[in-house]
Amino acid sequence: MTETMLAVIGGSGLYDIDGLQDARWQAVDSPWGAPSDDILTGTLDGIKLAFLPRHGRGHVHSPTDVPYRANIDALKRIGVTHVLSVSACGSFREAMAPGDFVIVDQYIDRTVLREKSFFSSGMTVHVSMAHPVCADLAAAAAEAARKTGVTVHDGGCYLAMEGPQFSTLAESRMYRESWGCDVIGMTNMPEAKLAREAELHYASVAMVTDYDSWHPQHGEVDIKQIVAVLKGNAARARSMVAHLAGAMADLPAAGCATGCDHALDFAVLTAPEKRDPALKARLDAVAGRVIDAPR
Ligand SMILES: CSC[C@H]1O[C@H](OP(=O)(O)O)[C@H](O)[C@@H]1O
Ligand SMILES: Nc1ncnc2[nH]cnc12
């Protein structure tokens, strides 16, 4: 039986975590290129845990250039079953204030310059993104976050923008008023799509740093203010991670209410004899379960 292994992908301000037993940073090779950084592995109160800083230690990678495919492939390759994203975000809601944590449950993907799929001609695959996060992992993350004492919002729609510039005032108002988005960031897409293709359970905790630019009393988004809030949020994120092992105690590696680990069932359209051998070889970790399965 597969053992549950959690990966935390740390966003802006969260470049390492402490408290892991048998902690070591290890380089992991991927046929999709180099991951953002080495991966920190260890155990946390009996749960196997991996940590990967999304932008690399020292914040090397811009949101556009994060090697999203290599990151997800490398995590799956070392045995990860669950991925929890921890991200900074702007807020479109008065009640979602700086310092609050939002447990994301929907996305609108406005990114345009990124590789968004492991699959292409030679292995054509269509997975559902109707329910883009793992409901069970999201519930565990919410429980762990609440234990830290932060204000936690259950559910929120995350607008993923390309960046690296922040939104114009007109965009900020449109996302909030017309599109009904709750928070905004630059990194959860295509990460969530790739995790789904890799049949990983994925959830995201978006930590509010600012009110983007729509709020009449807060003025426009200001990177100095974001960086100041990030430091406190990183401390709260570390505390949340420390509570995750307890919150995840009953989460099996296989099976969840969302069906994440069976996303590829019936999803491969290319006939077995028409599948591209070179692409199949690259997909060994991500889609090994179905690579030779009939249509
Ligand atoms: C630090 S402001 C903008 C930057 O922060 C967020 O990154 P992450 O999602 O990795 O925490 C946001 O998406 C931008 O990349
Ligand atoms: N307002 C904002 N827009 C996009 N990404 C962000 N990350 C933190 N705050 C943000």
Side-chain angles (χ1 to χ4, degrees):
M1 210 175 73
T2 319
E3 195 181 347
T4 298
M5 180 172 183
L6 171 70
V8 174
I9 299 184
S12 297
L14 190 63
Y15 307 104
D16 58 23
I17 52 169
D18 38 35
L20 288 192
Q21 293 94 48
D22 304 319
R24 71 182 182 105
W25 287 92
Q26 59 178 102
V28 181
D29 287 333
S30 161
W32 302 92
S36 293
D37 202 333
D38 290 353
I39 299 176
L40 178 67
T41 57
T43 58
L44 181 69
D45 302 330
I47 290 240
K48 285 169 78 181
L49 198 137
F51 175 82
L52 174 60
R54 178 183 286 122
H55 301 277
R57 284 167 289 178
H59 207 115
V60 181
H61 306 289
S62 80
T64 296
D65 294 332
V66 167
Y68 296 98
R69 292 193 298 187
N71 288 353
I72 294 296
D73 174 89
L75 293 175
K76 176 116 188 193
R77 206 165 275 284
I78 62 169
V80 165
T81 55
H82 292 69
V83 175
L84 184 65
S85 155
V86 177
S87 285
C89 71
S91 164
F92 293 128
R93 302 287 158 223
E94 184 84 51
M96 294 177 174
D100 291 2
F101 285 12
V102 179
I103 311 299
V104 174
D105 65 354
Q106 277 298 332
Y107 289 103
I108 293 180
D109 184 2
R110 285 250 302 159
T111 65
V112 289
L113 296 175
R114 309 171 186 193
E115 296 289 354
K116 298 197 184 192
S117 178
F118 289 107
F119 302 103
S120 56
S121 304
M123 186 88 174
T124 302
V125 169
H126 302 279
V127 296
S128 171
M129 289 300 295
H131 302 288
V133 305
C134 175
D136 295 357
L137 179 59
E143 182 186 324
R146 283 209 173 82
K147 290 219 168 97
T148 73
V150 294
T151 300
V152 178
H153 303 270
D154 267 313
C157 180
Y158 175 116
L159 185 295
M161 62 179 294
E162 186 59 56
Q165 303 87 354
F166 293 111
S167 306
T168 64
L169 181 53
E171 288 165 339
S172 192
R173 286 180 177 150
M174 179 181 75
Y175 298 148
R176 168 183 145 78
E177 292 162 24
S178 306
W179 291 18
C181 298
D182 299 301
V183 294
I184 182 165
M186 304 179 189
T187 61
N188 278 203
M189 285 294 181
E191 201 172 79
K193 288 177 173 169
L194 295 166
R196 176 58 53 83
E197 285 188 345
E199 299 193 317
L200 294 169
H201 306 277
Y202 180 90
S204 171
V205 177
M207 307 183 301
V208 179
T209 52
D210 56 275
Y211 280 111
D212 203 43
S213 293
W214 63 272
H215 198 302
Q217 271 85 55
H218 288 271
E220 67 193 58
V221 58
D222 168 17
I223 190 67
K224 284 201 302 298
Q225 185 221 330
I226 290 182
V227 170
V229 179
L230 271 182
K231 295 199 172 120
N233 280 356
R236 289 185 277 272
R238 285 198 174 83
S239 164
M240 175 184 72
V241 170
H243 287 101
L244 271 171
M248 290 196 51
D250 295 330
L251 278 196
C256 70
T258 313
C260 304
D261 58 327
H262 280 271
L264 295 176
D265 284 358
F266 316 108
V268 185
L269 294 194
T270 308
E273 69 281 7
K274 296 280 175 71
R275 292 178 193 165
D276 173 11
L279 181 53
K280 275 171 55 178
R282 278 180 109 187
L283 289 167
D284 62 335
V286 160
R289 192 179 74 79
V290 299
I291 225 153
D292 288 315
R295 278 195 293 174

